[in-house]
Amino acid sequence: VQLQASGGGMVQAGESLRLSCLASRSTFGIYTMYWFRQAPGKEREIVAAISRTGGGTYYPDSVKGRFTISANYDKNTVYLQLNSLKPEDTAVYHCAASNKNTYSPREFDYWGQGTQVTVSS
């Protein structure tokens, strides 16, 4: 499956963005979907995940209460709503997929080019 992320941009602290991840085919019932971010000099961090059927979600403490992952399976699209953005959220955000039923896979099966999110103070 091919994944294409979009929706990034430059915002000020406290503002919001919504990222979209368009999949080339249906992911429902097949893939756990993730959003992860990569900032220069920092380790990759999974910031959200949604289970294969959308019934469960995961967030690390760093974004819990601020980020929300959702899916529209009719549109083969996964979203990430980013609220109350902070400068430390600045990173390239990627979407990814795994056929494993886990929120912390050792590796992804598929991932796409990311979208840059820049938050100024």
Side-chain angles (χ1 to χ4, degrees):
V1 61
Q2 293 180 319
L3 303 171
Q4 179 62 54
S6 62
M10 297 180 63
V11 297
Q12 293 188 329
E15 294 184 338
S16 300
L17 284 172
R18 188 176 82 154
L19 308 183
S20 299
C21 173
L22 177 63
S24 59
R25 55 183 173 86
S26 177
T27 62
F28 182 78
I30 302 173
Y31 298 110
T32 303
M33 299 298 294
Y34 311 82
W35 284 96
F36 70 91
R37 65 188 179 188
Q38 183 78 61
K42 295 185 179 180
E43 292 188 357
R44 185 187 74 187
E45 179 186 21
I46 294 174
V47 295
I50 189 166
S51 65
R52 293 170 176 173
T53 58
T57 57
Y58 160 80
Y59 307 95
D61 288 343
S62 57
V63 307
K64 194 173 294 183
R66 301 189 297 121
F67 291 8
T68 304
I69 189 171
S70 61
N72 184 328
Y73 294 106
D74 289 339
K75 295 184 177 181
N76 293 345
T77 301
V78 176
Y79 303 98
L80 184 66
Q81 179 69 39
L82 297 80
N83 295 332
S84 303
L85 282 162
K86 304 175 181 180
E88 52 263 43
D89 294 319
T90 295
V92 177
Y93 286 71
H94 302 258
C95 59
S98 169
N99 59 16
K100 297 178 178 58
N101 188 27
T102 174
Y103 291 144
S104 56
R106 295 182 65 180
E107 57 186 16
F108 301 116
D109 294 301
Y110 305 97
W111 64 93
Q113 289 187 330
T115 185
Q116 176 72 46
V117 172
T118 303
V119 185
S120 60
S121 58

